[in-house]
Protein backbone atom coordinates (compact mmCIF):
# COMPACT_ATOMS: atom_id res chain seq x y z
CA UNK A 1 0.00 0.00 0.00
CA UNK A 2 1.31 3.43 -0.97
CA UNK A 3 1.55 5.76 2.03
CA UNK A 4 1.75 9.54 1.82
CA UNK A 5 3.13 11.43 4.80
CA UNK A 6 2.55 15.14 5.30
CA UNK A 7 1.30 17.58 7.93
CA UNK A 8 -0.66 20.82 7.90
CA UNK A 9 2.23 22.50 9.73
CA UNK A 10 4.37 22.06 6.61
CA UNK A 11 2.16 24.78 5.11
CA UNK A 12 3.05 27.21 7.89
CA UNK A 13 6.58 27.81 6.62
CA UNK A 14 6.50 31.20 4.86
CA UNK A 15 9.60 32.15 2.88
CA UNK A 16 8.09 35.43 1.68
CA UNK A 17 5.69 36.72 -0.98
CA UNK A 18 8.13 36.46 -3.92
CA UNK A 19 9.74 33.17 -2.93
CA UNK A 20 9.08 30.20 -5.26
CA UNK A 21 8.90 27.62 -2.44
CA UNK A 22 5.32 28.02 -1.21
CA UNK A 23 2.54 25.99 0.38
CA UNK A 24 0.73 26.09 -2.98
CA UNK A 25 3.08 23.31 -4.10
CA UNK A 26 1.53 20.86 -1.63
CA UNK A 27 -1.99 22.02 -2.54
CA UNK A 28 -1.30 21.37 -6.23
CA UNK A 29 -0.10 17.83 -5.49
CA UNK A 30 -3.12 17.04 -3.33
CA UNK A 31 -5.53 18.40 -5.95
CA UNK A 32 -3.91 16.35 -8.70
CA UNK A 33 -4.07 13.20 -6.56
CA UNK A 34 -7.82 13.73 -6.14
CA UNK A 35 -8.37 14.52 -9.82
CA UNK A 36 -6.44 11.41 -10.88
CA UNK A 37 -8.36 9.13 -8.53
CA UNK A 38 -5.15 8.07 -6.78
CA UNK A 39 -6.23 9.59 -3.50
CA UNK A 40 -8.46 6.55 -2.95
CA UNK A 41 -5.51 4.13 -2.97
CA UNK A 42 -3.22 6.14 -0.70
CA UNK A 43 -2.82 5.79 3.07
CA UNK A 44 -2.49 9.24 4.59
CA UNK A 45 -0.25 9.71 7.62
CA UNK A 46 0.59 12.75 9.72
CA UNK A 47 4.30 13.46 10.00
CA UNK A 48 5.58 13.32 13.58
CA UNK A 49 8.11 15.79 14.97
CA UNK A 50 11.71 14.70 14.48
CA UNK A 51 13.73 14.23 17.65
CA UNK A 52 17.00 15.92 18.49
CA UNK A 53 18.75 12.53 18.52
CA UNK A 54 17.48 11.76 15.01
CA UNK A 55 18.74 15.12 13.72
CA UNK A 56 22.12 14.64 15.40
CA UNK A 57 22.80 11.57 13.28
CA UNK A 58 23.47 13.94 10.36
CA UNK A 59 23.76 17.48 11.81
CA UNK A 60 26.30 18.75 14.35
CA UNK A 61 24.98 19.93 17.69
CA UNK A 62 26.30 23.49 17.39
CA UNK A 63 24.39 23.96 14.14
CA UNK A 64 21.16 22.68 15.65
CA UNK A 65 21.64 24.98 18.64
CA UNK A 66 21.94 27.96 16.27
CA UNK A 67 18.83 27.00 14.31
CA UNK A 68 16.70 26.65 17.43
CA UNK A 69 18.08 29.88 18.88
CA UNK A 70 17.35 31.83 15.68
CA UNK A 71 13.81 30.48 15.18
CA UNK A 72 11.36 33.39 15.55
CA UNK A 73 8.36 33.02 17.82
CA UNK A 74 4.77 33.81 16.90
CA UNK A 75 4.18 37.41 15.81
CA UNK A 76 7.92 37.92 15.28
CA UNK A 77 9.58 38.87 12.01
CA UNK A 78 11.13 36.26 9.73
CA UNK A 79 14.88 35.67 10.01
CA UNK A 80 17.14 35.31 6.97
CA UNK A 81 19.57 32.41 7.43
CA UNK A 82 21.29 32.99 4.10
CA UNK A 83 20.40 34.76 0.86
CA UNK A 84 17.52 32.41 0.02
CA UNK A 85 16.82 30.47 3.24
CA UNK A 86 14.31 32.11 5.57
CA UNK A 87 12.84 31.12 8.93
CA UNK A 88 9.35 32.45 9.61
CA UNK A 89 7.46 31.82 12.86
CA UNK A 90 6.11 28.57 11.37
CA UNK A 91 9.35 27.32 9.80
CA UNK A 92 10.90 25.38 12.65
CA UNK A 93 7.83 23.23 13.23
CA UNK A 94 7.46 22.68 9.48
CA UNK A 95 11.10 21.56 9.27
CA UNK A 96 10.68 19.27 12.28
CA UNK A 97 7.66 17.68 10.57
CA UNK A 98 9.51 17.39 7.25
CA UNK A 99 12.42 15.52 8.81
CA UNK A 100 10.08 13.48 11.01
CA UNK A 101 8.13 12.36 7.94
CA UNK A 102 11.14 10.48 6.61
CA UNK A 103 11.78 8.75 9.91
CA UNK A 104 8.14 7.67 10.12
CA UNK A 105 8.21 6.48 6.52
CA UNK A 106 11.23 4.28 7.17
CA UNK A 107 9.49 2.76 10.18
CA UNK A 108 6.32 2.08 8.16
CA UNK A 109 8.30 0.27 5.48
CA UNK A 110 10.61 -1.68 7.77
CA UNK A 111 7.65 -2.80 9.91
CA UNK A 112 5.69 -3.92 6.85
CA UNK A 113 2.88 -1.42 7.31
CA UNK A 114 3.30 0.40 3.98
CA UNK A 115 5.49 0.44 0.87
CA UNK A 116 6.30 2.58 -1.03
CA UNK A 117 6.15 5.87 0.91
CA UNK A 118 6.06 9.44 -0.40
CA UNK A 119 6.69 12.39 1.90
CA UNK A 120 4.88 15.52 0.68
CA UNK A 121 6.77 17.96 2.86
CA UNK A 122 8.37 21.38 2.98
CA UNK A 123 10.80 22.97 3.46
CA UNK A 124 12.99 20.75 1.27
CA UNK A 125 16.26 19.38 2.59
CA UNK A 126 18.95 18.23 0.18
CA UNK A 127 21.09 21.41 0.27
CA UNK A 128 21.39 21.42 4.06
CA UNK A 129 24.87 20.32 5.10
CA UNK A 130 25.88 18.90 8.46
CA UNK A 131 26.54 22.40 9.81
CA UNK A 132 24.86 24.76 7.35
CA UNK A 133 21.43 25.77 6.04
CA UNK A 134 21.22 26.83 2.40
CA UNK A 135 19.12 26.66 -0.76
CA UNK A 136 15.70 26.81 0.98
CA UNK A 137 16.79 23.89 3.22
CA UNK A 138 17.10 23.78 7.02
CA UNK A 139 17.37 20.08 7.94
CA UNK A 140 18.49 17.42 5.46
CA UNK A 141 15.31 15.36 5.44
CA UNK A 142 16.50 12.52 3.21
CA UNK A 143 19.75 12.18 5.15
CA UNK A 144 17.86 11.97 8.44
CA UNK A 145 15.68 9.21 6.97
CA UNK A 146 18.61 7.25 5.53
CA UNK A 147 20.56 7.49 8.78
CA UNK A 148 17.51 6.20 10.66
CA UNK A 149 17.33 3.17 8.37
CA UNK A 150 21.01 2.45 8.99
CA UNK A 151 21.23 3.13 12.71
CA UNK A 152 17.76 2.24 14.03
CA UNK A 153 16.98 -0.66 11.72
CA UNK A 154 20.46 -2.08 11.23
CA UNK A 155 20.66 -1.92 7.45
CA UNK A 156 24.13 -2.14 5.95
CA UNK A 157 23.63 -0.47 2.55
CA UNK A 158 21.22 2.23 1.40
CA UNK A 159 21.10 4.24 -1.83
CA UNK A 160 19.97 7.85 -2.17
CA UNK A 161 19.04 8.99 -5.67
CA UNK A 162 18.57 12.72 -6.22
CA UNK A 163 17.01 13.86 -9.51
CA UNK A 164 16.39 17.47 -8.50
CA UNK A 165 17.78 19.99 -11.01
CA UNK A 166 20.20 21.23 -8.34
CA UNK A 167 23.05 19.11 -7.02
CA UNK A 168 22.30 17.57 -3.63
CA UNK A 169 25.41 19.05 -2.07
CA UNK A 170 24.19 18.68 1.51
CA UNK A 171 23.44 14.98 1.20
CA UNK A 172 26.79 14.41 -0.48
CA UNK A 173 28.67 16.35 2.21
CA UNK A 174 26.98 14.35 4.98
CA UNK A 175 27.62 10.90 3.48
CA UNK A 176 30.80 11.40 1.43
CA UNK A 177 32.86 9.24 3.80
CA UNK A 178 30.14 6.73 4.67
CA UNK A 179 30.55 3.61 2.58
CA UNK A 180 27.15 2.34 3.72
CA UNK A 181 25.54 4.99 1.49
CA UNK A 182 25.60 5.24 -2.31
CA UNK A 183 24.61 8.75 -3.39
CA UNK A 184 23.62 9.41 -7.01
CA UNK A 185 22.74 12.95 -8.11
CA UNK A 186 21.79 14.44 -11.48
CA UNK A 187 21.72 18.21 -11.94
CA UNK A 188 22.18 21.09 -14.33
CA UNK A 189 25.79 22.30 -14.45
CA UNK A 190 27.03 24.97 -14.12
CA UNK A 191 24.20 25.96 -11.82
CA UNK A 192 23.46 26.53 -8.13
CA UNK A 193 25.05 25.38 -5.82
CA UNK A 194 28.01 24.95 -8.23
CA UNK A 195 29.17 21.67 -6.69
CA UNK A 196 29.39 18.03 -7.77
CA UNK A 197 31.40 18.23 -10.98
CA UNK A 198 31.62 14.76 -12.54
CA UNK A 199 32.43 12.95 -9.31
CA UNK A 200 32.23 9.17 -9.62
CA UNK A 201 33.56 7.03 -6.78
CA UNK A 202 32.40 3.86 -5.05
CA UNK A 203 29.75 5.79 -3.11
CA UNK A 204 29.30 9.13 -4.99
CA UNK A 205 28.00 9.31 -8.56
CA UNK A 206 27.38 12.84 -9.84
CA UNK A 207 25.85 13.36 -13.28
CA UNK A 208 26.11 16.99 -14.44
CA UNK A 209 23.87 17.92 -17.40
CA UNK A 210 24.31 20.93 -19.66
CA UNK A 211 21.60 23.57 -19.98
CA UNK A 212 19.14 22.51 -22.65
CA UNK A 213 19.60 18.77 -22.04
CA UNK A 214 16.41 16.75 -22.33
CA UNK A 215 15.11 13.27 -21.74
CA UNK A 216 17.45 11.51 -24.17
CA UNK A 217 20.60 12.89 -22.55
CA UNK A 218 19.21 12.30 -19.09
CA UNK A 219 18.29 8.68 -19.73
CA UNK A 220 21.65 7.92 -21.33
CA UNK A 221 23.49 9.37 -18.33
CA UNK A 222 21.39 7.37 -15.86
CA UNK A 223 21.94 4.11 -17.74
CA UNK A 224 25.67 4.71 -18.12
CA UNK A 225 26.47 5.98 -14.63
CA UNK A 226 23.74 5.38 -12.03
CA UNK A 227 22.40 1.95 -12.84
CA UNK A 228 25.72 0.06 -12.92
CA UNK A 229 26.72 1.50 -9.54
CA UNK A 230 23.31 0.79 -8.04
CA UNK A 231 23.30 -2.81 -9.19
CA UNK A 232 26.86 -3.38 -8.00
CA UNK A 233 26.08 -1.77 -4.63
CA UNK A 234 22.91 -3.83 -4.06
CA UNK A 235 21.15 -1.39 -1.72
CA UNK A 236 18.80 -2.74 0.93
CA UNK A 237 16.67 0.42 0.79
CA UNK A 238 16.19 2.99 -2.00
CA UNK A 239 15.68 6.63 -1.01
CA UNK A 240 14.67 9.25 -3.58
CA UNK A 241 15.22 12.98 -3.30
CA UNK A 242 12.39 13.77 -5.69
CA UNK A 243 12.83 17.23 -7.14
CA UNK A 244 10.78 18.02 -10.24
CA UNK A 245 12.35 21.36 -11.18
CA UNK A 246 14.20 19.94 -14.21
CA UNK A 247 10.80 19.94 -15.96
CA UNK A 248 10.68 21.95 -19.18
CA UNK A 249 7.76 23.98 -17.81
CA UNK A 250 9.67 24.99 -14.66
CA UNK A 251 11.53 28.26 -15.11
CA UNK A 252 13.84 27.46 -12.20
CA UNK A 253 16.20 25.76 -14.65
CA UNK A 254 17.07 25.17 -18.29
CA UNK A 255 16.72 21.39 -18.50
CA UNK A 256 13.97 19.93 -20.66
CA UNK A 257 12.53 16.91 -18.85
CA UNK A 258 8.84 16.07 -19.26
CA UNK A 259 6.31 14.06 -17.25
CA UNK A 260 7.25 10.78 -18.93
CA UNK A 261 10.92 11.18 -17.97
CA UNK A 262 9.94 11.14 -14.30
CA UNK A 263 7.83 8.07 -14.96
CA UNK A 264 10.84 6.40 -16.62
CA UNK A 265 13.37 7.13 -13.89
CA UNK A 266 10.90 6.04 -11.22
CA UNK A 267 10.42 2.73 -13.02
CA UNK A 268 14.18 2.19 -13.23
CA UNK A 269 14.63 2.89 -9.52
CA UNK A 270 11.71 0.64 -8.68
CA UNK A 271 13.42 -2.19 -10.59
CA UNK A 272 16.56 -1.66 -8.52
CA UNK A 273 14.53 -1.74 -5.31
CA UNK A 274 12.65 -4.87 -6.37
CA UNK A 275 15.90 -6.64 -7.30
CA UNK A 276 18.01 -5.75 -4.28
CA UNK A 277 15.92 -4.05 -1.56
CA UNK A 278 12.76 -6.16 -1.20
CA UNK A 279 10.97 -3.32 -2.98
CA UNK A 280 11.67 -0.77 -0.23
CA UNK A 281 11.33 2.79 -1.58
CA UNK A 282 10.90 6.06 0.27
CA UNK A 283 10.60 9.24 -1.79
CA UNK A 284 10.75 12.78 -0.39
CA UNK A 285 9.72 15.97 -2.15
CA UNK A 286 12.54 18.39 -2.89
CA UNK A 287 12.14 21.02 -5.65
CA UNK A 288 9.52 21.68 -8.33
CA UNK A 289 8.08 25.17 -8.59
CA UNK A 290 5.63 25.20 -11.50
CA UNK A 291 2.51 23.88 -9.75
CA UNK A 292 0.81 22.13 -12.67
CA UNK A 293 3.98 20.41 -13.91
CA UNK A 294 4.95 19.50 -10.36
CA UNK A 295 1.57 17.97 -9.59
CA UNK A 296 1.42 15.94 -12.81
CA UNK A 297 4.97 14.70 -12.38
CA UNK A 298 4.40 13.67 -8.77
CA UNK A 299 1.32 11.67 -9.73
CA UNK A 300 3.31 9.94 -12.52
CA UNK A 301 6.01 9.21 -9.96
CA UNK A 302 3.56 7.78 -7.43
CA UNK A 303 1.53 5.76 -9.89
CA UNK A 304 4.74 4.16 -11.17
CA UNK A 305 5.94 3.39 -7.65
CA UNK A 306 2.56 1.86 -6.88
CA UNK A 307 2.59 -0.13 -10.08
Amino acid sequence: MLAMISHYECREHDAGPLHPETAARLDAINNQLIMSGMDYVVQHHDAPLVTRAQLERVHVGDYLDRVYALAPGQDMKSVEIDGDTVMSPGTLRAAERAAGAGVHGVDLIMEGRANPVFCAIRPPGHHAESDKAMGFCLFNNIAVAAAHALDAHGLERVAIIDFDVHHGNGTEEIFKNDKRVLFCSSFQHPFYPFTGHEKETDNLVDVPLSAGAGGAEYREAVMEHWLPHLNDFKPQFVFISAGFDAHVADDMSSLQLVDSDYEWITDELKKVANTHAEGRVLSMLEGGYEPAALARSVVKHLSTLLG
Side-chain angles (χ1 to χ4, degrees):
M1 174 66 105
L2 170 65
M4 185 167 174
I5 305 175
S6 191
H7 199 279
Y8 76 89
E9 286 188 317
C10 287
R11 289 170 167 76
E12 301 301 309
H13 165 53
D14 182 3
L18 301 179
H19 203 283
E21 206 288 283
T22 69
R25 302 171 65 231
L26 300 185
D27 296 334
I29 291 169
N30 283 335
N31 290 340
Q32 190 70 27
L33 274 175
I34 293 169
M35 289 172 59
S36 70
M38 278 198 67
D39 190 59
Y40 294 102
V41 295
V42 175
Q43 291 181 5
H44 289 276
H45 293 256
D46 281 339
L49 295 169
V50 72
T51 68
R52 174 80 180 218
Q54 290 161 353
L55 289 174
E56 286 183 342
R57 290 179 178 137
V58 301
H59 291 294
V60 298
D62 287 349
Y63 167 66
L64 296 175
D65 290 342
R66 292 198 303 272
V67 168
Y68 279 82
L70 285 170
Q74 293 302 317
D75 302 320
M76 294 177 65
K77 291 183 178 180
S78 294
V79 176
E80 192 173 272
I81 304 298
D82 71 6
D84 53 15
T85 308
V86 174
M87 289 186 75
S88 69
T91 297
L92 182 59
R93 291 281 285 195
E96 289 177 320
R97 296 289 184 188
V103 171
H104 184 51
V106 168
D107 289 342
L108 288 176
I109 291 173
M110 295 304 298
E111 294 164 9
R113 292 188 283 154
N115 189 43
V117 169
F118 179 70
C119 300
I121 47 81
R122 56 185 294 274
H126 71 150
H127 292 309
E129 299 184 357
S130 59
D131 62 353
K132 184 193 305 183
M134 61 182 291
F136 312 169
C137 304
L138 202 64
F139 302 141
N140 196 308
N141 307 316
I142 202 79
V144 171
H148 184 68
L150 292 164
D151 295 345
H153 291 281
L155 296 185
E156 298 176 347
R157 298 178 310 281
V158 304
I160 304 174
I161 297 90
D162 186 330
F163 55 68
D164 191 277
V165 80
H166 304 96
H167 178 238
N169 62 290
T171 312
E172 184 165 296
E173 183 266 339
I174 288 167
F175 291 121
K176 63 185 177 184
N177 296 318
D178 192 336
K179 300 303 181 184
R180 300 174 300 170
V181 180
L182 173 63
F183 178 63
C184 301
S185 181
S186 61
F187 48 94
Q188 182 176 323
H189 175 71
F191 202 41
Y192 182 89
F194 305 102
T195 54
H197 315 329
E198 300 184 36
K199 189 177 296 174
E200 192 161 343
T201 67
D202 286 343
N203 78 312
L204 302 175
V205 186
D206 290 336
V207 177
L209 299 168
S210 299
E217 295 91 339
Y218 176 71
R219 296 182 190 208
E220 181 181 1
V222 167
M223 290 187 290
E224 181 177 349
H225 298 281
W226 284 4
L227 296 182
H229 281 276
L230 285 164
N231 285 309
D232 287 345
F233 186 71
K234 298 179 174 59
Q236 297 167 302
F237 203 121
V238 172
F239 292 89
I240 303 174
S241 268
F244 299 92
D245 40 4
H247 197 287
V248 64
D250 197 315
D251 62 9
M252 181 64 76
S253 73
S254 300
L255 295 188
Q256 307 288 312
L257 301 191
V258 296
D259 300 16
S260 59
D261 292 314
Y262 293 112
E263 184 176 32
W264 177 83
I265 184 56
T266 304
D267 188 56
E268 292 299 318
L269 298 179
K270 182 180 177 183
K271 290 175 186 175
V272 171
N274 287 342
T275 300
H276 303 294
E278 300 179 27
R280 300 178 185 128
V281 178
L282 183 140
S283 176
M284 301 194 79
L285 182 64
E286 299 285 0
Y289 304 100
E290 200 294 309
L294 169 65
R296 292 195 316 271
S297 299
V298 168
V299 169
K300 286 281 190 184
H301 178 59
L302 298 185
S303 62
T304 305
L305 284 178
L306 186 59

